[in-house]
Amino acid sequence: MRRLGMALLAFFGIACIAAAITIPTYLVPKLKVVPLDLDITSDSTSIAALNNTGERFPAVIFDRCSVSEDRAKLLTVSLKQQRRSVVVDPSDADQATIQAGQSVLVDRIREENGEEVHPTVAPADSERTCRDGLLTANIDRVSLDRKTSAPNGVISSLQMEADPEGVPVEDVSVRLDDRKGFQYKFGFDVQKQDYYYYDLNTRADAVAKFVEETTINGLKVYHFRADVPETDISNLPNPQGEAPLGTILTMPAEWWGITGQGVRPNTPVTMHRHAAAVRNVWVEPVTGTIVDGYEEQHQYFKSPDGTEDLPEAITGFQMDALKANFKLTDQTVSEQTDRAKEYVNLLKWGGTYVPIILGVLGALLLILWGWLTFRGRDDDGTGNDAPRGGAPTGDEAAEPVYTTPEAPTEVLGTDTSGSPAGRGPGATASAAAGGAALSADEYWAPETPTTTAERVDTEADTIVFEPIPDPEAPSASRHGRTD
């Protein structure tokens, strides 16, 4: 058992130290990947400005119903932006394909008379009117390298229309080439430097510049800001290779409200829809989780490039199509913060706490093993070149040796008269009668017939010497008993 215990101490000590080295160098990198069970729902609402959420109608949109009226109109509204991101196929050990369905909804409208209206959203398979609450909707699909979180180019598409039953998704989607920026999460171990950030509205990468380090709900985060340059989104084709619906609009100058020199009320004026944005994200640096977001979106109609020969009243005209500042809701920020904290703690335990605990435990076990080994060698006398004083070695040391003092040897008298009382149990009484009492360690044992003069009592370890009996004496008397 001692040898087994010593072996187990050494085994577990070495195993703990090996695990302390293996976990941070091999297992933790396995945790630093885009999870395949990722499922995130995030909500944003329109606000007047950052840290100003009191305005009930902070956004402006183009009134789609006004295309059938005499003049273009704008609506003051409150908007909601919803997005759900999940992992879909093809995904494996090396890549994760993110599918993100996102929509912008009109939550409430303030009419010209001040009345508040809450539009409804028609079912997906029904016809929508210009008063429908759904403003835009699309589905983004992108494959990411699970280690870097950057697009790998395998899947990169934007679905802009509903896919009827039997119609392949590819037929209602457009391919997004040369995509390299982060979008739904940053990579692991984010640094205080610039990164590419992908803007889906303009289908382009923008540079996200590091702004500052701050905290949100007690969590350290890095603030990045990306300025998305103006883009003519009519140049971004739909699945049919044409300008997306609503990005090119030709109406009379009067309808636009354009007046000026060289402009007649009924002059057809074509405007293209442009987009620009400023996107702010707050990223937890260890995991790359986007904890908070604030974006300033601005889409507007203006004269396209190459029309400089038109009257200045036309080339200098601009009308908002969408102007809104979106901020992630407090609930979404709280959920993202909790998710990031949980992930950070998991990496800390795997990369720091567990290796330290295992390393210390392994060292203590090996120290204990070494101490017990040295002590055992010292007790066995094997610590020196020669044994000391004939001390037992090996298995002998484990077996105790007991010694008992020898009883004094005494010569018992012989009754030569042949009396039966000369020996046997009655000898004690005879001796007492003779005045010679036996000591406590003297007792009688049956005599074993022998022809030798020396007989050993193996029961008492006592050597007894007696005279050779007379051959002529009776047999019973000679043996000290009668039949």
Side-chain angles (χ1 to χ4, degrees), residues 342-381:
E342 182 180 355
Y343 208 169
V344 168
N345 289 335
L346 178 63
L347 293 176
K348 281 185 177 179
W349 273 99
T352 304
Y353 302 147
V354 172
I356 290 177
I357 293 173
L358 290 177
V360 171
L361 179 59
L364 291 176
L365 290 175
L366 289 180
I367 290 172
L368 179 60
W369 170 81
W371 179 76
L372 290 177
T373 301
F374 177 79
R375 182 182 178 186
R377 288 169 55 86
D378 189 62
D379 291 344
D380 293 345

Side-chain angles (χ1 to χ4, degrees), residues 106-129:
V106 180
D107 184 39
R108 51 184 177 267
I109 302 172
R110 183 170 60 192
E111 299 284 7
E112 292 180 351
N113 59 6
E115 182 181 355
E116 183 174 315
V117 177
H118 295 267
T120 59
V121 178
D125 56 351
S126 62
E127 186 177 354
R128 301 185 184 278
T129 68

Side-chain angles (χ1 to χ4, degrees), residues 405-443:
E406 284 192 15
T409 302
E410 183 175 347
V411 178
L412 301 179
T414 302
D415 185 2
T416 57
S417 64
S419 170
R423 289 190 56 84
T428 303
S430 300
L438 296 177
S439 62
D441 58 348
E442 294 177 341
Y443 60 92

